[in-house]
Amino acid sequence: MQKQTNRDKLLANGLRVVHRQGLAGASVRDIVEAAGVPQGSFSNHFASKEAFGVEILDLYFGFTKKVLAETLNNEDLKPLKRLEAYIDANRAFLEQWGVENGCLYGTYAAEITGHDEPIRRRLVEIFNTLQDSLAACLKAAVKAGELPRDFKCNEVGDFILSSLQGAILLSKGKRDTSPITKFKRVIFASILR
C-alpha cells in the first residue's frame, strides 16, 4: 500500500472538517491539525483556501459518482427502482456521515459569496450532472412504460434535485432523516404514480 502524502492527508481529513464545519467555518489550522501535518504543508499544496475548497468538492463528488453508478445510472435496475435507490442512498449517506453535517453541496451553496466564483462554477457543474442523471433516469422510466409519454422529465428531474436538497437541509436541522422519507413517499405517491 502506498504511503499517504501530506496532500492526501489534507484532503481526506480536510473533507471531514469542512463537511462538519463548512469551508467558511473551517480554518486552515483546523484542517492541518486534523491531518496531522505541519502548518506550511497547506500552502505548499494549495494556492488558496478556495482552491482547496474546489478540490474538496471534487473529492466529495467522487462519492457521488459511485452512488450515481449504483443507482440512477444502473441499467440493471428498473428506472423507478433506480430513483428509489438514489434517494435511499442519500439517506444512508447522511446517516453514515452524520445527519447533522448535511450535504456538502448544500453547505457550500449556502456559503457562497461574490468571492467564490470557482467554487460556485464547480457546484453548478455538479448540480447539472445530478439533474442530467435524474432526467435520464426519468426518460428511461418513460421508455419502459413506468411513466406517461408526455411526462416532463427535465422539469421533474430539476424538482427532485431541489426538493431532495431541501429535505436533506431539513434533516440536518432536525437531526433525523424523516424529511427524506416523507419526500420519497410524496414523490412516488403523487408525482411518479
Side-chain angles (χ1 to χ4, degrees), residues 83 86-87 90 103 105-106 109 126-128 130-132 134-135 138 153-171 179-180 183 187 191:
L83 178 58
Y86 177 70
I87 295 168
N90 274 272
C103 172
Y105 307 137
I126 289 169
F127 285 139
N128 286 342
L130 296 174
Q131 288 169 326
D132 291 347
L134 286 160
L138 294 171
C153 298
N154 291 329
E155 287 179 28
V156 175
D158 290 352
F159 173 76
I160 290 171
L161 178 61
S162 300
S163 299
L164 181 57
Q165 282 294 312
I168 291 169
L169 185 61
L170 284 173
S171 294
I180 298 171
F183 160 73
I187 282 289
I191 296 171

PDB file of all heavy atoms in Angstrom, residues 83 86-87 90 103 105-106 109 126-128 130-132 134-135 138 153-171 179-180 183 187 191:
ATOM      1  N   LEU A  83     -34.292   5.372  -9.102  1.00  0.00           N
ATOM      2  CA  LEU A  83     -34.570   6.615  -8.394  1.00  0.00           C
ATOM      3  C   LEU A  83     -34.794   6.347  -6.910  1.00  0.00           C
ATOM      4  O   LEU A  83     -34.273   7.068  -6.057  1.00  0.00           O
ATOM      5  CB  LEU A  83     -35.785   7.318  -9.001  1.00  0.00           C
ATOM      6  CG  LEU A  83     -36.217   8.620  -8.323  1.00  0.00           C
ATOM      7  CD1 LEU A  83     -35.083   9.640  -8.303  1.00  0.00           C
ATOM      8  CD2 LEU A  83     -37.437   9.191  -9.021  1.00  0.00           C
ATOM      9  N   TYR A  86     -31.535   5.772  -5.346  1.00  0.00           N
ATOM     10  CA  TYR A  86     -30.778   7.021  -5.223  1.00  0.00           C
ATOM     11  C   TYR A  86     -31.208   7.797  -3.972  1.00  0.00           C
ATOM     12  O   TYR A  86     -30.373   8.271  -3.200  1.00  0.00           O
ATOM     13  CB  TYR A  86     -30.974   7.875  -6.481  1.00  0.00           C
ATOM     14  CG  TYR A  86     -30.301   9.216  -6.418  1.00  0.00           C
ATOM     15  CD1 TYR A  86     -28.912   9.327  -6.451  1.00  0.00           C
ATOM     16  CD2 TYR A  86     -31.045  10.383  -6.319  1.00  0.00           C
ATOM     17  CE1 TYR A  86     -28.294  10.567  -6.382  1.00  0.00           C
ATOM     18  CE2 TYR A  86     -30.432  11.623  -6.256  1.00  0.00           C
ATOM     19  CZ  TYR A  86     -29.051  11.707  -6.295  1.00  0.00           C
ATOM     20  OH  TYR A  86     -28.434  12.942  -6.222  1.00  0.00           O
ATOM     21  N   ILE A  87     -32.493   7.901  -3.769  1.00  0.00           N
ATOM     22  CA  ILE A  87     -33.000   8.609  -2.583  1.00  0.00           C
ATOM     23  C   ILE A  87     -32.564   7.870  -1.320  1.00  0.00           C
ATOM     24  O   ILE A  87     -32.093   8.487  -0.357  1.00  0.00           O
ATOM     25  CB  ILE A  87     -34.529   8.784  -2.661  1.00  0.00           C
ATOM     26  CG1 ILE A  87     -34.893   9.699  -3.832  1.00  0.00           C
ATOM     27  CG2 ILE A  87     -35.072   9.351  -1.346  1.00  0.00           C
ATOM     28  CD1 ILE A  87     -36.373   9.718  -4.200  1.00  0.00           C
ATOM     29  N   ASN A  90     -28.925   8.500  -0.571  1.00  0.00           N
ATOM     30  CA  ASN A  90     -28.701   9.814   0.036  1.00  0.00           C
ATOM     31  C   ASN A  90     -29.019   9.777   1.529  1.00  0.00           C
ATOM     32  O   ASN A  90     -28.278  10.340   2.339  1.00  0.00           O
ATOM     33  CB  ASN A  90     -29.540  10.887  -0.670  1.00  0.00           C
ATOM     34  CG  ASN A  90     -28.847  11.446  -1.879  1.00  0.00           C
ATOM     35  OD1 ASN A  90     -28.082  12.386  -1.786  1.00  0.00           O
ATOM     36  ND2 ASN A  90     -29.098  10.856  -3.039  1.00  0.00           N
ATOM     37  N   CYS A 103     -25.469  17.812   3.573  1.00  0.00           N
ATOM     38  CA  CYS A 103     -24.801  17.562   2.288  1.00  0.00           C
ATOM     39  C   CYS A 103     -23.792  18.682   2.046  1.00  0.00           C
ATOM     40  O   CYS A 103     -24.125  19.861   2.198  1.00  0.00           O
ATOM     41  CB  CYS A 103     -25.849  17.542   1.176  1.00  0.00           C
ATOM     42  SG  CYS A 103     -25.164  17.472  -0.484  1.00  0.00           S
ATOM     43  N   TYR A 105     -22.711  19.828  -0.682  1.00  0.00           N
ATOM     44  CA  TYR A 105     -23.146  20.728  -1.753  1.00  0.00           C
ATOM     45  C   TYR A 105     -24.045  21.826  -1.199  1.00  0.00           C
ATOM     46  O   TYR A 105     -23.889  23.004  -1.536  1.00  0.00           O
ATOM     47  CB  TYR A 105     -23.881  19.970  -2.861  1.00  0.00           C
ATOM     48  CG  TYR A 105     -23.122  18.797  -3.431  1.00  0.00           C
ATOM     49  CD1 TYR A 105     -23.762  17.592  -3.691  1.00  0.00           C
ATOM     50  CD2 TYR A 105     -21.758  18.879  -3.702  1.00  0.00           C
ATOM     51  CE1 TYR A 105     -23.073  16.513  -4.216  1.00  0.00           C
ATOM     52  CE2 TYR A 105     -21.063  17.793  -4.219  1.00  0.00           C
ATOM     53  CZ  TYR A 105     -21.731  16.613  -4.473  1.00  0.00           C
ATOM     54  OH  TYR A 105     -21.050  15.539  -4.987  1.00  0.00           O
ATOM     55  N   GLY A 106     -24.982  21.446  -0.358  1.00  0.00           N
ATOM     56  CA  GLY A 106     -25.878  22.425   0.241  1.00  0.00           C
ATOM     57  C   GLY A 106     -25.140  23.396   1.151  1.00  0.00           C
ATOM     58  O   GLY A 106     -25.422  24.598   1.155  1.00  0.00           O
ATOM     59  N   ALA A 109     -23.272  25.775  -1.077  1.00  0.00           N
ATOM     60  CA  ALA A 109     -24.197  26.697  -1.747  1.00  0.00           C
ATOM     61  C   ALA A 109     -24.648  27.795  -0.797  1.00  0.00           C
ATOM     62  O   ALA A 109     -24.762  28.965  -1.192  1.00  0.00           O
ATOM     63  CB  ALA A 109     -25.402  25.942  -2.301  1.00  0.00           C
ATOM     64  N   ILE A 126     -21.646  20.284 -10.876  1.00  0.00           N
ATOM     65  CA  ILE A 126     -22.087  19.096 -10.137  1.00  0.00           C
ATOM     66  C   ILE A 126     -23.612  19.005 -10.139  1.00  0.00           C
ATOM     67  O   ILE A 126     -24.173  17.940 -10.424  1.00  0.00           O
ATOM     68  CB  ILE A 126     -21.517  19.112  -8.708  1.00  0.00           C
ATOM     69  CG1 ILE A 126     -20.007  18.858  -8.749  1.00  0.00           C
ATOM     70  CG2 ILE A 126     -22.224  18.088  -7.818  1.00  0.00           C
ATOM     71  CD1 ILE A 126     -19.272  19.114  -7.437  1.00  0.00           C
ATOM     72  N   PHE A 127     -24.285  20.118  -9.845  1.00  0.00           N
ATOM     73  CA  PHE A 127     -25.745  20.109  -9.857  1.00  0.00           C
ATOM     74  C   PHE A 127     -26.270  19.761 -11.248  1.00  0.00           C
ATOM     75  O   PHE A 127     -27.264  19.034 -11.376  1.00  0.00           O
ATOM     76  CB  PHE A 127     -26.322  21.438  -9.369  1.00  0.00           C
ATOM     77  CG  PHE A 127     -26.237  21.642  -7.878  1.00  0.00           C
ATOM     78  CD1 PHE A 127     -25.888  22.869  -7.354  1.00  0.00           C
ATOM     79  CD2 PHE A 127     -26.515  20.613  -6.984  1.00  0.00           C
ATOM     80  CE1 PHE A 127     -25.819  23.067  -5.980  1.00  0.00           C
ATOM     81  CE2 PHE A 127     -26.450  20.798  -5.607  1.00  0.00           C
ATOM     82  CZ  PHE A 127     -26.107  22.030  -5.108  1.00  0.00           C
ATOM     83  N   ASN A 128     -25.628  20.245 -12.303  1.00  0.00           N
ATOM     84  CA  ASN A 128     -26.041  19.897 -13.668  1.00  0.00           C
ATOM     85  C   ASN A 128     -25.891  18.403 -13.926  1.00  0.00           C
ATOM     86  O   ASN A 128     -26.758  17.785 -14.565  1.00  0.00           O
ATOM     87  CB  ASN A 128     -25.258  20.702 -14.701  1.00  0.00           C
ATOM     88  CG  ASN A 128     -25.699  22.145 -14.775  1.00  0.00           C
ATOM     89  OD1 ASN A 128     -26.787  22.507 -14.319  1.00  0.00           O
ATOM     90  ND2 ASN A 128     -24.850  22.992 -15.331  1.00  0.00           N
ATOM     91  N   LEU A 130     -26.053  16.030 -11.666  1.00  0.00           N
ATOM     92  CA  LEU A 130     -27.127  15.366 -10.921  1.00  0.00           C
ATOM     93  C   LEU A 130     -28.470  15.520 -11.635  1.00  0.00           C
ATOM     94  O   LEU A 130     -29.227  14.547 -11.770  1.00  0.00           O
ATOM     95  CB  LEU A 130     -27.202  15.927  -9.501  1.00  0.00           C
ATOM     96  CG  LEU A 130     -25.970  15.677  -8.621  1.00  0.00           C
ATOM     97  CD1 LEU A 130     -26.104  16.415  -7.294  1.00  0.00           C
ATOM     98  CD2 LEU A 130     -25.748  14.196  -8.406  1.00  0.00           C
ATOM     99  N   GLN A 131     -28.761  16.730 -12.119  1.00  0.00           N
ATOM    100  CA  GLN A 131     -30.014  16.960 -12.849  1.00  0.00           C
ATOM    101  C   GLN A 131     -30.074  16.100 -14.109  1.00  0.00           C
ATOM    102  O   GLN A 131     -31.112  15.513 -14.418  1.00  0.00           O
ATOM    103  CB  GLN A 131     -30.156  18.441 -13.209  1.00  0.00           C
ATOM    104  CG  GLN A 131     -30.451  19.305 -12.001  1.00  0.00           C
ATOM    105  CD  GLN A 131     -30.335  20.793 -12.296  1.00  0.00           C
ATOM    106  OE1 GLN A 131     -29.496  21.215 -13.091  1.00  0.00           O
ATOM    107  NE2 GLN A 131     -31.161  21.594 -11.643  1.00  0.00           N
ATOM    108  N   ASP A 132     -28.970  16.025 -14.839  1.00  0.00           N
ATOM    109  CA  ASP A 132     -28.924  15.207 -16.063  1.00  0.00           C
ATOM    110  C   ASP A 132     -29.167  13.735 -15.754  1.00  0.00           C
ATOM    111  O   ASP A 132     -29.886  13.047 -16.488  1.00  0.00           O
ATOM    112  CB  ASP A 132     -27.577  15.371 -16.777  1.00  0.00           C
ATOM    113  CG  ASP A 132     -27.377  16.746 -17.383  1.00  0.00           C
ATOM    114  OD1 ASP A 132     -28.360  17.527 -17.485  1.00  0.00           O
ATOM    115  OD2 ASP A 132     -26.220  17.075 -17.747  1.00  0.00           O
ATOM    116  N   LEU A 134     -30.803  12.492 -13.141  1.00  0.00           N
ATOM    117  CA  LEU A 134     -32.205  12.338 -12.761  1.00  0.00           C
ATOM    118  C   LEU A 134     -33.114  12.356 -13.988  1.00  0.00           C
ATOM    119  O   LEU A 134     -33.992  11.500 -14.130  1.00  0.00           O
ATOM    120  CB  LEU A 134     -32.615  13.439 -11.771  1.00  0.00           C
ATOM    121  CG  LEU A 134     -32.080  13.263 -10.352  1.00  0.00           C
ATOM    122  CD1 LEU A 134     -32.112  14.575  -9.590  1.00  0.00           C
ATOM    123  CD2 LEU A 134     -32.875  12.178  -9.618  1.00  0.00           C
ATOM    124  N   ALA A 135     -32.896  13.301 -14.895  1.00  0.00           N
ATOM    125  CA  ALA A 135     -33.718  13.396 -16.108  1.00  0.00           C
ATOM    126  C   ALA A 135     -33.555  12.144 -16.973  1.00  0.00           C
ATOM    127  O   ALA A 135     -34.544  11.616 -17.502  1.00  0.00           O
ATOM    128  CB  ALA A 135     -33.357  14.653 -16.893  1.00  0.00           C
ATOM    129  N   LEU A 138     -35.554   9.358 -15.479  1.00  0.00           N
ATOM    130  CA  LEU A 138     -36.984   9.541 -15.735  1.00  0.00           C
ATOM    131  C   LEU A 138     -37.328   9.256 -17.195  1.00  0.00           C
ATOM    132  O   LEU A 138     -38.373   8.662 -17.491  1.00  0.00           O
ATOM    133  CB  LEU A 138     -37.413  10.953 -15.334  1.00  0.00           C
ATOM    134  CG  LEU A 138     -37.321  11.264 -13.830  1.00  0.00           C
ATOM    135  CD1 LEU A 138     -37.566  12.740 -13.572  1.00  0.00           C
ATOM    136  CD2 LEU A 138     -38.277  10.389 -13.025  1.00  0.00           C
ATOM    137  N   CYS A 153     -39.751  15.126 -17.985  1.00  0.00           N
ATOM    138  CA  CYS A 153     -38.595  14.530 -17.306  1.00  0.00           C
ATOM    139  C   CYS A 153     -37.586  15.566 -16.815  1.00  0.00           C
ATOM    140  O   CYS A 153     -37.091  15.462 -15.691  1.00  0.00           O
ATOM    141  CB  CYS A 153     -37.906  13.535 -18.240  1.00  0.00           C
ATOM    142  SG  CYS A 153     -38.986  12.159 -18.689  1.00  0.00           S
ATOM    143  N   ASN A 154     -37.268  16.556 -17.645  1.00  0.00           N
ATOM    144  CA  ASN A 154     -36.282  17.561 -17.235  1.00  0.00           C
ATOM    145  C   ASN A 154     -36.797  18.400 -16.065  1.00  0.00           C
ATOM    146  O   ASN A 154     -36.078  18.621 -15.089  1.00  0.00           O
ATOM    147  CB  ASN A 154     -35.891  18.463 -18.405  1.00  0.00           C
ATOM    148  CG  ASN A 154     -35.095  17.715 -19.456  1.00  0.00           C
ATOM    149  OD1 ASN A 154     -34.361  16.773 -19.151  1.00  0.00           O
ATOM    150  ND2 ASN A 154     -35.238  18.118 -20.702  1.00  0.00           N
ATOM    151  N   GLU A 155     -38.040  18.850 -16.174  1.00  0.00           N
ATOM    152  CA  GLU A 155     -38.616  19.673 -15.103  1.00  0.00           C
ATOM    153  C   GLU A 155     -38.727  18.893 -13.803  1.00  0.00           C
ATOM    154  O   GLU A 155     -38.389  19.406 -12.735  1.00  0.00           O
ATOM    155  CB  GLU A 155     -40.001  20.185 -15.507  1.00  0.00           C
ATOM    156  CG  GLU A 155     -39.968  21.274 -16.542  1.00  0.00           C
ATOM    157  CD  GLU A 155     -41.374  21.723 -16.935  1.00  0.00           C
ATOM    158  OE1 GLU A 155     -42.305  21.611 -16.113  1.00  0.00           O
ATOM    159  OE2 GLU A 155     -41.515  22.179 -18.084  1.00  0.00           O
ATOM    160  N   VAL A 156     -39.212  17.668 -13.883  1.00  0.00           N
ATOM    161  CA  VAL A 156     -39.373  16.868 -12.670  1.00  0.00           C
ATOM    162  C   VAL A 156     -38.001  16.481 -12.108  1.00  0.00           C
ATOM    163  O   VAL A 156     -37.815  16.455 -10.887  1.00  0.00           O
ATOM    164  CB  VAL A 156     -40.269  15.634 -12.922  1.00  0.00           C
ATOM    165  CG1 VAL A 156     -40.327  14.737 -11.695  1.00  0.00           C
ATOM    166  CG2 VAL A 156     -41.668  16.082 -13.313  1.00  0.00           C
ATOM    167  N   GLY A 157     -37.032  16.229 -12.981  1.00  0.00           N
ATOM    168  CA  GLY A 157     -35.665  15.953 -12.512  1.00  0.00           C
ATOM    169  C   GLY A 157     -35.104  17.118 -11.715  1.00  0.00           C
ATOM    170  O   GLY A 157     -34.516  16.934 -10.641  1.00  0.00           O
ATOM    171  N   ASP A 158     -35.302  18.331 -12.231  1.00  0.00           N
ATOM    172  CA  ASP A 158     -34.865  19.538 -11.506  1.00  0.00           C
ATOM    173  C   ASP A 158     -35.600  19.660 -10.175  1.00  0.00           C
ATOM    174  O   ASP A 158     -35.008  19.984  -9.143  1.00  0.00           O
ATOM    175  CB  ASP A 158     -35.124  20.797 -12.341  1.00  0.00           C
ATOM    176  CG  ASP A 158     -34.214  20.912 -13.547  1.00  0.00           C
ATOM    177  OD1 ASP A 158     -33.275  20.105 -13.683  1.00  0.00           O
ATOM    178  OD2 ASP A 158     -34.450  21.828 -14.364  1.00  0.00           O
ATOM    179  N   PHE A 159     -36.912  19.392 -10.202  1.00  0.00           N
ATOM    180  CA  PHE A 159     -37.723  19.461  -8.988  1.00  0.00           C
ATOM    181  C   PHE A 159     -37.242  18.444  -7.949  1.00  0.00           C
ATOM    182  O   PHE A 159     -37.136  18.751  -6.755  1.00  0.00           O
ATOM    183  CB  PHE A 159     -39.199  19.222  -9.326  1.00  0.00           C
ATOM    184  CG  PHE A 159     -40.075  19.104  -8.121  1.00  0.00           C
ATOM    185  CD1 PHE A 159     -40.449  20.234  -7.399  1.00  0.00           C
ATOM    186  CD2 PHE A 159     -40.509  17.863  -7.694  1.00  0.00           C
ATOM    187  CE1 PHE A 159     -41.253  20.126  -6.278  1.00  0.00           C
ATOM    188  CE2 PHE A 159     -41.315  17.748  -6.577  1.00  0.00           C
ATOM    189  CZ  PHE A 159     -41.688  18.877  -5.857  1.00  0.00           C
ATOM    190  N   ILE A 160     -36.943  17.227  -8.392  1.00  0.00           N
ATOM    191  CA  ILE A 160     -36.473  16.190  -7.466  1.00  0.00           C
ATOM    192  C   ILE A 160     -35.156  16.613  -6.820  1.00  0.00           C
ATOM    193  O   ILE A 160     -34.988  16.492  -5.601  1.00  0.00           O
ATOM    194  CB  ILE A 160     -36.352  14.824  -8.171  1.00  0.00           C
ATOM    195  CG1 ILE A 160     -37.747  14.283  -8.503  1.00  0.00           C
ATOM    196  CG2 ILE A 160     -35.566  13.822  -7.322  1.00  0.00           C
ATOM    197  CD1 ILE A 160     -37.743  13.045  -9.387  1.00  0.00           C
ATOM    198  N   LEU A 161     -34.228  17.129  -7.621  1.00  0.00           N
ATOM    199  CA  LEU A 161     -32.949  17.565  -7.058  1.00  0.00           C
ATOM    200  C   LEU A 161     -33.154  18.674  -6.031  1.00  0.00           C
ATOM    201  O   LEU A 161     -32.635  18.607  -4.917  1.00  0.00           O
ATOM    202  CB  LEU A 161     -31.992  18.032  -8.157  1.00  0.00           C
ATOM    203  CG  LEU A 161     -30.640  18.553  -7.650  1.00  0.00           C
ATOM    204  CD1 LEU A 161     -29.879  17.469  -6.893  1.00  0.00           C
ATOM    205  CD2 LEU A 161     -29.819  19.093  -8.807  1.00  0.00           C
ATOM    206  N   SER A 162     -33.937  19.690  -6.390  1.00  0.00           N
ATOM    207  CA  SER A 162     -34.186  20.804  -5.471  1.00  0.00           C
ATOM    208  C   SER A 162     -34.887  20.327  -4.203  1.00  0.00           C
ATOM    209  O   SER A 162     -34.514  20.723  -3.087  1.00  0.00           O
ATOM    210  CB  SER A 162     -35.054  21.870  -6.143  1.00  0.00           C
ATOM    211  OG  SER A 162     -34.412  22.381  -7.280  1.00  0.00           O
ATOM    212  N   SER A 163     -35.867  19.488  -4.366  1.00  0.00           N
ATOM    213  CA  SER A 163     -36.637  19.002  -3.217  1.00  0.00           C
ATOM    214  C   SER A 163     -35.802  18.085  -2.329  1.00  0.00           C
ATOM    215  O   SER A 163     -35.897  18.155  -1.101  1.00  0.00           O
ATOM    216  CB  SER A 163     -37.883  18.263  -3.691  1.00  0.00           C
ATOM    217  OG  SER A 163     -38.703  19.124  -4.433  1.00  0.00           O
ATOM    218  N   LEU A 164     -34.997  17.233  -2.934  1.00  0.00           N
ATOM    219  CA  LEU A 164     -34.135  16.351  -2.143  1.00  0.00           C
ATOM    220  C   LEU A 164     -33.114  17.172  -1.365  1.00  0.00           C
ATOM    221  O   LEU A 164     -32.863  16.907  -0.187  1.00  0.00           O
ATOM    222  CB  LEU A 164     -33.453  15.312  -3.039  1.00  0.00           C
ATOM    223  CG  LEU A 164     -32.533  14.319  -2.327  1.00  0.00           C
ATOM    224  CD1 LEU A 164     -33.270  13.558  -1.221  1.00  0.00           C
ATOM    225  CD2 LEU A 164     -31.929  13.346  -3.337  1.00  0.00           C
ATOM    226  N   GLN A 165     -32.527  18.190  -2.016  1.00  0.00           N
ATOM    227  CA  GLN A 165     -31.584  19.052  -1.297  1.00  0.00           C
ATOM    228  C   GLN A 165     -32.285  19.753  -0.127  1.00  0.00           C
ATOM    229  O   GLN A 165     -31.718  19.884   0.956  1.00  0.00           O
ATOM    230  CB  GLN A 165     -30.957  20.080  -2.244  1.00  0.00           C
ATOM    231  CG  GLN A 165     -29.860  19.521  -3.127  1.00  0.00           C
ATOM    232  CD  GLN A 165     -28.642  19.093  -2.331  1.00  0.00           C
ATOM    233  OE1 GLN A 165     -28.148  19.815  -1.481  1.00  0.00           O
ATOM    234  NE2 GLN A 165     -28.159  17.899  -2.622  1.00  0.00           N
ATOM    235  N   GLY A 166     -33.526  20.173  -0.335  1.00  0.00           N
ATOM    236  CA  GLY A 166     -34.298  20.782   0.746  1.00  0.00           C
ATOM    237  C   GLY A 166     -34.579  19.793   1.868  1.00  0.00           C
ATOM    238  O   GLY A 166     -34.481  20.130   3.056  1.00  0.00           O
ATOM    239  N   ALA A 167     -34.925  18.555   1.516  1.00  0.00           N
ATOM    240  CA  ALA A 167     -35.191  17.521   2.524  1.00  0.00           C
ATOM    241  C   ALA A 167     -33.916  17.207   3.310  1.00  0.00           C
ATOM    242  O   ALA A 167     -33.969  16.985   4.529  1.00  0.00           O
ATOM    243  CB  ALA A 167     -35.741  16.264   1.852  1.00  0.00           C
ATOM    244  N   ILE A 168     -32.776  17.222   2.627  1.00  0.00           N
ATOM    245  CA  ILE A 168     -31.500  16.992   3.314  1.00  0.00           C
ATOM    246  C   ILE A 168     -31.215  18.134   4.283  1.00  0.00           C
ATOM    247  O   ILE A 168     -30.783  17.911   5.420  1.00  0.00           O
ATOM    248  CB  ILE A 168     -30.361  16.805   2.291  1.00  0.00           C
ATOM    249  CG1 ILE A 168     -30.539  15.471   1.541  1.00  0.00           C
ATOM    250  CG2 ILE A 168     -28.996  16.868   2.968  1.00  0.00           C
ATOM    251  CD1 ILE A 168     -29.634  15.297   0.333  1.00  0.00           C
ATOM    252  N   LEU A 169     -31.489  19.355   3.861  1.00  0.00           N
ATOM    253  CA  LEU A 169     -31.285  20.511   4.736  1.00  0.00           C
ATOM    254  C   LEU A 169     -32.197  20.437   5.966  1.00  0.00           C
ATOM    255  O   LEU A 169     -31.758  20.683   7.094  1.00  0.00           O
ATOM    256  CB  LEU A 169     -31.525  21.806   3.962  1.00  0.00           C
ATOM    257  CG  LEU A 169     -31.251  23.107   4.696  1.00  0.00           C
ATOM    258  CD1 LEU A 169     -29.801  23.200   5.122  1.00  0.00           C
ATOM    259  CD2 LEU A 169     -31.608  24.285   3.798  1.00  0.00           C
ATOM    260  N   LEU A 170     -33.456  20.076   5.761  1.00  0.00           N
ATOM    261  CA  LEU A 170     -34.372  19.897   6.894  1.00  0.00           C
ATOM    262  C   LEU A 170     -33.891  18.776   7.806  1.00  0.00           C
ATOM    263  O   LEU A 170     -33.980  18.883   9.045  1.00  0.00           O
ATOM    264  CB  LEU A 170     -35.787  19.602   6.401  1.00  0.00           C
ATOM    265  CG  LEU A 170     -36.573  20.782   5.854  1.00  0.00           C
ATOM    266  CD1 LEU A 170     -37.887  20.307   5.248  1.00  0.00           C
ATOM    267  CD2 LEU A 170     -36.831  21.812   6.929  1.00  0.00           C
ATOM    268  N   SER A 171     -33.392  17.691   7.214  1.00  0.00           N
ATOM    269  CA  SER A 171     -32.853  16.586   8.006  1.00  0.00           C
ATOM    270  C   SER A 171     -31.690  17.058   8.872  1.00  0.00           C
ATOM    271  O   SER A 171     -31.580  16.672  10.043  1.00  0.00           O
ATOM    272  CB  SER A 171     -32.394  15.440   7.099  1.00  0.00           C
ATOM    273  OG  SER A 171     -33.488  14.861   6.425  1.00  0.00           O
ATOM    274  N   PRO A 179     -37.444  13.878   6.997  1.00  0.00           N
ATOM    275  CA  PRO A 179     -37.843  14.667   5.823  1.00  0.00           C
ATOM    276  C   PRO A 179     -37.543  13.959   4.490  1.00  0.00           C
ATOM    277  O   PRO A 179     -38.308  14.096   3.538  1.00  0.00           O
ATOM    278  CB  PRO A 179     -37.034  15.958   5.959  1.00  0.00           C
ATOM    279  CG  PRO A 179     -36.838  16.105   7.442  1.00  0.00           C
ATOM    280  CD  PRO A 179     -36.607  14.680   7.917  1.00  0.00           C
ATOM    281  N   ILE A 180     -36.476  13.183   4.446  1.00  0.00           N
ATOM    282  CA  ILE A 180     -36.152  12.452   3.211  1.00  0.00           C
ATOM    283  C   ILE A 180     -37.163  11.322   3.004  1.00  0.00           C
ATOM    284  O   ILE A 180     -37.621  11.090   1.885  1.00  0.00           O
ATOM    285  CB  ILE A 180     -34.703  11.921   3.250  1.00  0.00           C
ATOM    286  CG1 ILE A 180     -33.726  13.092   3.333  1.00  0.00           C
ATOM    287  CG2 ILE A 180     -34.413  11.057   2.028  1.00  0.00           C
ATOM    288  CD1 ILE A 180     -32.299  12.695   3.600  1.00  0.00           C
ATOM    289  N   PHE A 183     -40.297  12.978   1.781  1.00  0.00           N
ATOM    290  CA  PHE A 183     -40.088  13.401   0.390  1.00  0.00           C
ATOM    291  C   PHE A 183     -40.260  12.209  -0.555  1.00  0.00           C
ATOM    292  O   PHE A 183     -40.978  12.287  -1.550  1.00  0.00           O
ATOM    293  CB  PHE A 183     -38.694  14.024   0.243  1.00  0.00           C
ATOM    294  CG  PHE A 183     -38.194  14.054  -1.175  1.00  0.00           C
ATOM    295  CD1 PHE A 183     -38.725  14.950  -2.087  1.00  0.00           C
ATOM    296  CD2 PHE A 183     -37.213  13.179  -1.596  1.00  0.00           C
ATOM    297  CE1 PHE A 183     -38.265  14.975  -3.409  1.00  0.00           C
ATOM    298  CE2 PHE A 183     -36.758  13.195  -2.899  1.00  0.00           C
ATOM    299  CZ  PHE A 183     -37.283  14.091  -3.807  1.00  0.00           C
ATOM    300  N   ILE A 187     -43.091  11.897  -3.491  1.00  0.00           N
ATOM    301  CA  ILE A 187     -42.655  11.788  -4.890  1.00  0.00           C
ATOM    302  C   ILE A 187     -43.297  10.566  -5.552  1.00  0.00           C
ATOM    303  O   ILE A 187     -43.845  10.643  -6.646  1.00  0.00           O
ATOM    304  CB  ILE A 187     -41.103  11.705  -4.976  1.00  0.00           C
ATOM    305  CG1 ILE A 187     -40.495  13.081  -4.801  1.00  0.00           C
ATOM    306  CG2 ILE A 187     -40.635  11.098  -6.282  1.00  0.00           C
ATOM    307  CD1 ILE A 187     -40.701  14.022  -5.965  1.00  0.00           C
ATOM    308  N   ILE A 191     -46.307  12.331  -7.550  1.00  0.00           N
ATOM    309  CA  ILE A 191     -45.730  12.836  -8.805  1.00  0.00           C
ATOM    310  C   ILE A 191     -45.395  11.712  -9.785  1.00  0.00           C
ATOM    311  O   ILE A 191     -45.575  11.862 -10.986  1.00  0.00           O
ATOM    312  CB  ILE A 191     -44.489  13.697  -8.494  1.00  0.00           C
ATOM    313  CG1 ILE A 191     -44.953  14.930  -7.696  1.00  0.00           C
ATOM    314  CG2 ILE A 191     -43.754  14.111  -9.763  1.00  0.00           C
ATOM    315  CD1 ILE A 191     -43.862  15.765  -7.134  1.00  0.00           C
TER     316      ILE A 191
END
